[in-house]
Amino acid sequence: MSKAIYEWRQIPNGPRLAVATLADSECAALSIYIPAGSRDETDLPTGLAHFVEHMVFKGTERRSARDLSFEIENAGGQINACTSEDQTVYEGRGESDLMPVLADVISDMVWHATFPEGEIGLEREVIGEEITMYKESPSDHIGDLISNALWHDHPLGNPISGSVESIAEIDRDVLLAFRNRHHFRSDVVIAASGPFTVDEVMEMILPHLPGQFHEGETSVRFDRKNSTVQEIRDGRETDQLQLALAWHTPGRHAESRHALRMLSTMLGETASSRLFLELREERGLCYQISSDVTFFDETGAFEISAGLDPESREEALACIFREIEDLVSNGPRPGELDRAKRLAIAQSKLAFETTSAHAAWAGEGVLDFGYIPSPADWRASVLAVTDADVQAIAREVFHDQKPARAEIGAVES
């Protein structure tokens, strides 16, 4: 795929537009980023942002639910959406000729969905089944539990899908109020990629924009000083123990974010990582173990999760904390950081083989940072990380900070 040219602009009296121009691409992608998610549900029923995402697909004044999907899929394209803690994304992709249709259909969904009363009850049942499905899958449900243990009474600790009880409180007025409050913000980002200039995408999207946008609002900030991490145990009869640990980290604007990513890569993100080699390959304590870093605007989380034989719990925890302590005390081993850098850069290059990845890079860059970072600059920042940087952030995250803990399984506390 050819090198992308990234540009963005604020549409007058409208949202922001970010475009990755790929001159030789035969495909196109378009996404609309709403800068609101489950962390924006303070004093509201949990799962509201996710419920809105579902209802957007249930029809507009011009199109039925069936029309929305068929118009895209009959032309060989796809549409989808997802909700996270701090954003909701509506996205579509297909051949480059489909871009005008993507602009029309996705805009229609995001800004003109009618939220039919009869569909709300049906979708409540669907979301209820989704909640039950995740809850009955320990490897999925552990994510909700560790978030709650880490963030506790802040909205970041709420399950994105809500609970069966909370979604029962959501009616059409609540759904429309949340949609109107967040979908019409001037800090919304429209992201596109394909063989189009920013002016050409602007020409396609302008006819479909609503007439008025309002200023966005700030989510309730997380104050770590006033928060206490928890230990949560879901006791149930399972053959495998699901275990998760989590620590607070700096947010996405911290200079240490690149070192944090390298730390996670070395500790548990790959088959050559410390935890994978020690717990799975050397000791046979688990099939799955991983680590990850999640960044928000003002804070973040470092998580480790594993599926274990319950009898291996204490040995596994001892191994995990031993590897953490080694990184804190001694830093990376010879060659370890270089391998992590090569993996991160290669993975980013592989991802950029798709138009969707370029649209995401442009859209999330503007949404999270107010500009589109250069991929070359990002790679240079990764290459600039030193062993001392990794050891310093390991000390900051792991020393003098008790981890949050979540467990699912029949294990005595």
Side-chain angles (χ1 to χ4, degrees):
M1 182 169 286
S2 61
K3 187 175 180 180
I5 298 172
Y6 295 106
E7 292 183 80
W8 79 276
R9 64 183 58 168
Q10 180 79 52
I11 299 174
N13 302 314
R16 295 172 288 180
L17 176 65
V19 176
T21 302
L22 299 158
D24 300 326
S25 177
E26 296 182 309
C27 299
L30 185 136
S31 303
I32 297 180
Y33 286 81
I34 309 299
S38 60
R39 72 172 299 173
D40 298 278
E41 295 167 351
T42 303
D43 299 324
L44 293 168
T46 59
L48 178 55
H50 178 252
F51 206 140
V52 169
E53 176 222 307
H54 275 241
M55 288 305 302
V56 160
F57 286 84
K58 295 304 175 181
T60 70
E61 293 179 1
R62 296 166 50 206
R63 294 177 172 93
S64 66
R66 181 182 292 266
D67 291 339
L68 288 170
S69 59
F70 272 48
E71 189 164 349
I72 299 295
E73 292 183 2
N74 281 345
Q78 298 175 319
I79 54 173
N80 204 350
C82 62
T83 303
S84 69
E85 291 88 348
D86 58 354
Q87 61 181 236
T88 306
V89 187
Y90 303 94
E91 56 189 2
R93 57 185 177 175
E95 295 179 288
S96 57
D97 291 345
L98 192 60
M99 180 63 93
V101 179
L102 293 174
D104 182 3
V105 172
I106 298 176
S107 298
D108 196 24
M109 292 167 51
V110 170
W111 290 302
H112 302 291
T114 55
F115 294 71
E117 191 74 60
E119 296 285 350
I120 293 173
L122 292 175
E123 204 58 28
R124 185 181 289 113
E125 294 293 326
V126 170
I127 295 171
E129 290 300 317
E130 181 181 355
I131 293 169
T132 300
M133 178 183 69
Y134 279 103
K135 193 168 185 178
E136 292 184 352
S137 171
S139 61
D140 292 322
H141 186 47
I142 195 71
D144 285 343
L145 294 188
I146 194 61
S147 291
N148 184 248
L150 183 66
W151 308 109
H152 194 34
D153 54 0
H154 188 276
L156 282 170
N158 295 334
I160 293 170
S161 298
S163 65
V164 172
E165 294 76 18
S166 68
I167 62 172
E169 302 175 26
I170 298 173
D171 59 21
R172 186 171 186 270
D173 289 342
V174 174
L175 289 163
L176 284 172
F178 192 88
R179 190 275 304 270
N180 294 342
R181 181 178 174 185
H182 294 294
H183 283 210
F184 294 84
R185 294 165 51 157
S186 55
D187 54 352
V188 163
V189 176
I190 302 169
S193 65
F196 313 102
T197 65
V198 66
D199 290 326
E200 289 170 336
V201 177
M202 177 84 82
E203 186 177 344
M204 292 182 216
I205 200 73
L206 275 179
H208 307 297
L209 295 181
Q212 190 170 1
F213 287 82
H214 55 256
E215 187 174 346
E217 54 193 76
T218 303
S219 306
V220 174
R221 308 287 285 181
F222 174 73
D223 184 358
R224 182 171 155 188
K225 295 178 182 178
N226 297 324
S227 177
T228 304
V229 300
Q230 308 290 308
E231 292 188 6
I232 297 176
R233 179 172 170 268
D234 180 350
R236 64 173 85 173
E237 290 299 324
T238 59
D239 292 330
Q240 188 178 65
L241 169 70
Q242 292 294 323
L243 170 69
L245 303 167
W247 295 258
H248 294 294
T249 74
R252 62 169 61 100
H253 301 285
E255 291 185 7
S256 59
R257 66 187 184 275
H258 303 296
L260 257 174
R261 177 56 65 193
M262 294 302 96
L263 173 63
S264 180
T265 300
M266 286 184 280
L267 194 57
E269 288 192 18
T270 71
S272 61
S273 64
R274 292 187 176 206
L275 296 181
F276 189 92
L277 291 176
E278 181 67 15
L279 274 78
R280 173 175 161 153
E281 298 299 288
E282 294 295 326
R283 298 174 181 266
L285 298 178
C286 63
Y287 171 73
Q288 175 272 327
I289 185 162
S290 63
S291 66
D292 195 16
V293 182
T294 302
F295 293 116
F296 301 112
D297 190 63
E298 81 283 25
T299 187
F302 191 105
E303 298 182 16
I304 296 172
S305 62
L308 307 162
D309 182 327
E311 295 183 358
S312 302
R313 176 179 182 267
E314 297 306 318
E315 185 181 357
L317 284 169
C319 289
I320 290 169
F321 287 117
R322 188 162 53 246
E323 291 300 335
I324 287 173
E325 182 57 35
D326 182 61
L327 277 163
V328 168
S329 300
N330 304 312
R333 296 164 184 158
E336 195 173 19
L337 178 56
D338 288 337
R339 181 171 63 248
K341 291 177 181 180
R342 287 193 294 270
L343 282 166
I345 290 172
Q347 288 167 358
S348 75
K349 290 180 177 179
L350 288 169
F352 277 128
E353 288 300 305
T354 68
T355 50
S356 296
H358 283 283
W361 182 266
E364 291 177 9
V366 173
L367 188 72
D368 294 340
F369 300 102
Y371 68 98
I372 304 175
S374 161
D377 289 346
W378 175 84
R379 290 168 191 150
S381 296
V382 170
L383 290 172
V385 174
T386 66
D387 287 351
D389 294 332
V390 173
Q391 186 175 10
I393 193 60
R395 286 174 175 166
E396 180 180 342
V397 171
F398 298 128
H399 255 196
D400 300 323
Q401 183 184 172
K402 178 184 176 182
R405 183 182 298 187
E407 298 181 17
I408 300 175
V411 174
E412 294 298 324
S413 300

